[in-house]
Coordinates of all heavy atoms in Angstrom, one line a residue:
G220 N 105.4 113.2 82.4 CA 105.0 112.5 83.6 C 104.1 111.3 83.4 O 103.8 110.6 84.3
T221 N 103.8 111.1 82.1 CA 102.8 110.0 81.8 C 103.5 108.6 81.7 O 102.9 107.6 81.8 CB 102.1 110.3 80.5 OG1 103.0 110.5 79.5 CG2 101.2 111.5 80.7
S222 N 104.8 108.6 81.5 CA 105.6 107.4 81.3 C 106.7 107.2 82.4 O 107.4 108.2 82.7 CB 106.2 107.3 79.9 OG 105.2 107.4 78.9
T223 N 106.8 106.0 82.9 CA 107.8 105.8 83.9 C 108.5 104.4 83.6 O 107.9 103.6 82.9 CB 107.3 105.7 85.3 OG1 106.3 104.7 85.4 CG2 106.7 107.1 85.7
Y224 N 109.7 104.3 84.1 CA 110.4 103.0 83.8 C 111.3 102.7 85.0 O 111.9 103.7 85.6 CB 111.2 103.1 82.6 CG 111.8 101.8 82.1 CD1 111.0 100.8 81.5 CD2 113.1 101.4 82.4 CE1 111.6 99.6 81.1 CE2 113.7 100.2 82.0 CZ 112.9 99.3 81.4 OH 113.4 98.1 81.0
Y225 N 111.4 101.5 85.4 CA 112.2 101.1 86.6 C 113.2 100.0 86.3 O 112.8 99.1 85.5 CB 111.3 100.7 87.7 CG 110.3 101.7 88.2 CD1 109.0 101.8 87.5 CD2 110.6 102.7 89.1 CE1 108.1 102.8 87.9 CE2 109.7 103.6 89.5 CZ 108.4 103.7 88.9 OH 107.5 104.7 89.3
T226 N 114.3 99.9 87.0 CA 115.1 98.8 87.0 C 114.4 97.7 87.7 O 113.6 97.9 88.7 CB 116.5 99.0 87.6 OG1 117.4 98.0 87.3 CG2 116.4 99.2 89.1
D227 N 114.6 96.4 87.3 CA 113.9 95.3 87.9 C 113.9 95.2 89.4 O 112.9 94.8 90.1 CB 114.4 94.0 87.3 CG 113.9 93.8 85.8 OD1 113.0 94.5 85.4 OD2 114.5 92.9 85.1
S228 N 115.1 95.5 90.0 CA 115.2 95.3 91.4 C 114.4 96.2 92.3 O 114.2 96.0 93.5 CB 116.7 95.5 91.8 OG 117.2 96.8 91.5
V229 N 113.8 97.3 91.7 CA 113.0 98.2 92.5 C 111.6 98.2 92.1 O 110.8 98.9 92.7 CB 113.6 99.7 92.4 CG1 115.1 99.7 92.8 CG2 113.4 100.3 91.1
K230 N 111.2 97.5 91.0 CA 109.8 97.5 90.6 C 108.9 97.0 91.7 O 109.2 96.0 92.4 CB 109.7 96.6 89.4 CG 110.2 97.2 88.1 CD 110.0 96.2 86.9 CE 110.6 96.8 85.6 NZ 110.5 95.8 84.5
G231 N 107.8 97.7 91.9 CA 106.9 97.4 92.9 C 107.2 98.0 94.3 O 106.4 97.9 95.2
R232 N 108.4 98.5 94.4 CA 108.8 99.1 95.7 C 109.0 100.6 95.6 O 108.8 101.4 96.5 CB 110.1 98.5 96.2 CG 110.0 97.0 96.4 CD 111.2 96.4 97.1 NE 112.4 96.6 96.3 CZ 113.5 97.2 96.8 NH1 113.5 97.8 97.9 NH2 114.6 97.3 96.0
F233 N 109.6 101.1 94.4 CA 109.9 102.5 94.2 C 108.9 103.1 93.3 O 108.4 102.4 92.3 CB 111.3 102.7 93.7 CG 112.4 102.3 94.6 CD1 112.2 101.7 95.8 CD2 113.7 102.7 94.3 CE1 113.2 101.4 96.7 CE2 114.8 102.4 95.1 CZ 114.5 101.7 96.3
T234 N 108.6 104.4 93.4 CA 107.8 105.1 92.5 C 108.4 106.5 92.2 O 108.7 107.3 93.2 CB 106.4 105.3 93.1 OG1 105.8 104.1 93.4 CG2 105.5 106.1 92.1
I235 N 108.6 106.8 90.9 CA 109.1 108.1 90.5 C 107.9 108.9 90.1 O 106.9 108.4 89.5 CB 110.1 107.9 89.4 CG1 110.7 109.3 89.1 CG2 109.5 107.3 88.1 CD1 111.9 109.2 88.1
S236 N 107.9 110.2 90.4 CA 106.9 111.1 90.1 C 107.5 112.5 89.9 O 108.6 112.7 90.3 CB 105.8 111.1 91.1 OG 106.3 111.6 92.4
R237 N 106.7 113.4 89.3 CA 107.2 114.8 89.2 C 106.1 115.8 89.3 O 104.9 115.5 89.0 CB 107.9 114.9 87.8 CG 107.0 114.8 86.6 CD 107.8 114.8 85.3 NE 108.6 116.0 85.1 CZ 109.6 116.1 84.2 NH1 110.0 115.0 83.6 NH2 110.2 117.2 84.0
D238 N 106.5 117.0 89.7 CA 105.6 118.1 89.8 C 106.2 119.2 89.0 O 107.1 119.9 89.5 CB 105.3 118.5 91.3 CG 104.3 119.6 91.5 OD1 104.0 120.3 90.5 OD2 103.7 119.7 92.5
N239 N 105.8 119.4 87.8 CA 106.4 120.4 86.9 C 106.2 121.8 87.5 O 107.0 122.7 87.2 CB 105.9 120.2 85.5 CG 106.5 119.0 84.8 OD1 107.5 118.4 85.3 ND2 105.8 118.6 83.7
A240 N 105.1 122.0 88.1 CA 104.8 123.4 88.7 C 105.8 123.7 89.8 O 106.1 124.9 90.0 CB 103.4 123.4 89.2
K241 N 106.3 122.7 90.5 CA 107.3 122.9 91.5 C 108.7 122.6 91.1 O 109.7 122.7 91.9 CB 107.0 122.0 92.8 CG 105.6 122.4 93.4 CD 105.4 121.5 94.7 CE 104.1 121.9 95.3 NZ 103.9 121.1 96.6
S242 N 108.9 122.2 89.8 CA 110.2 121.9 89.3 C 110.9 120.9 90.1 O 112.1 121.0 90.4 CB 111.1 123.2 89.2 OG 110.5 124.1 88.3
T243 N 110.2 119.8 90.5 CA 110.7 118.8 91.4 C 110.3 117.4 90.9 O 109.2 117.2 90.4 CB 110.2 119.0 92.8 OG1 110.5 120.3 93.3 CG2 110.7 118.0 93.8
V244 N 111.3 116.5 91.1 CA 111.0 115.1 90.8 C 111.2 114.3 92.1 O 112.1 114.7 92.9 CB 112.0 114.6 89.7 CG1 113.4 114.6 90.1 CG2 111.6 113.1 89.3
Y245 N 110.5 113.3 92.3 CA 110.5 112.5 93.6 C 110.8 111.1 93.3 O 110.6 110.6 92.2 CB 109.1 112.7 94.3 CG 108.6 114.1 94.5 CD1 107.8 114.7 93.6 CD2 109.1 114.8 95.6 CE1 107.3 116.0 93.8 CE2 108.6 116.1 95.8 CZ 107.7 116.7 94.9 OH 107.3 117.9 95.2
L246 N 111.3 110.4 94.4 CA 111.5 109.0 94.3 C 111.0 108.5 95.7 O 111.6 108.7 96.7 CB 112.9 108.6 94.1 CG 113.1 107.1 93.9 CD1 112.5 106.6 92.6 CD2 114.6 106.7 93.9
Q247 N 109.8 107.9 95.7 CA 109.2 107.2 96.9 C 109.8 105.8 96.9 O 109.6 105.0 96.0 CB 107.7 107.2 96.8 CG 107.1 106.5 98.0 CD 107.3 107.3 99.3 OE1 107.1 108.5 99.3 NE2 107.6 106.5 100.3
M248 N 110.4 105.5 98.0 CA 111.1 104.2 98.2 C 110.5 103.5 99.4 O 110.6 104.0 100.5 CB 112.6 104.4 98.4 CG 113.3 105.2 97.3 SD 115.1 105.3 97.5 CE 115.2 106.1 99.0
N249 N 109.8 102.4 99.1 CA 109.2 101.6 100.1 C 109.8 100.2 100.2 O 110.6 99.8 99.3 CB 107.7 101.4 99.8 CG 106.9 102.7 99.8 OD1 107.3 103.7 100.5 ND2 105.9 102.8 99.0
S250 N 109.6 99.5 101.3 CA 110.1 98.2 101.5 C 111.6 98.1 101.2 O 112.1 97.3 100.5 CB 109.4 97.2 100.6 OG 108.0 97.2 100.9
L251 N 112.3 99.1 101.8 CA 113.8 99.2 101.5 C 114.5 98.0 102.0 O 114.2 97.4 103.1 CB 114.3 100.5 102.2 CG 114.0 101.8 101.4 CD1 114.1 103.0 102.2 CD2 114.8 101.9 100.1

């Protein structure tokens, strides 16, 4: 979870994160 990478078109708007304890990955999408 320490490294992330985004395609240029979503940089600054989308955020990927994960919670390993919950076995879940998220994608927060803003300014859609």
Side-chain angles (χ1 to χ4, degrees):
T221 56
S222 300
T223 58
Y224 189 80
Y225 302 89
T226 192
D227 286 345
S228 63
V229 308
K230 284 180 181 177
R232 300 188 298 123
F233 291 11
T234 302
I235 187 172
S236 62
R237 66 189 297 162
D238 185 337
N239 287 342
K241 295 182 178 180
S242 299
T243 302
V244 63
Y245 305 96
L246 186 67
Q247 177 67 44
M248 305 185 296
N249 299 329
S250 302
L251 282 162

